[in-house]
Amino acid sequence: MKQSQLNERFPLAMAWVAWQSWEALYSDEEALAKGTIFPGLFKPFEGVCG
């Protein structure tokens, strides 16, 4: 199968973002460190590799 046919059949990626309610925000410094301003969206990866 050609690359162009594969691209049409299988999208590269799909994103899903959780619905959120407005809440208190992290401070600028904490948001920068955690990657989000919303405490409800802060979900650090705690899995193990291998």
Side-chain angles (χ1 to χ4, degrees):
M1 190 175 286
K2 293 181 182 179
Q3 184 65 41
S4 61
Q5 292 172 317
L6 287 173
N7 291 344
E8 290 175 13
R9 281 190 67 191
F10 302 104
L12 180 61
M14 296 177 70
W16 179 83
V17 178
W19 188 259
Q20 63 199 42
S21 299
W22 191 261
E23 58 186 305
L25 305 177
Y26 285 133
S27 68
D28 293 344
E29 294 80 17
E30 193 170 10
L32 186 59
K34 293 186 174 186
T36 180
I37 62 172
F38 299 102
L41 294 181
F42 179 61
K43 307 289 185 204
F45 178 73
E46 297 178 357
V48 288
C49 189

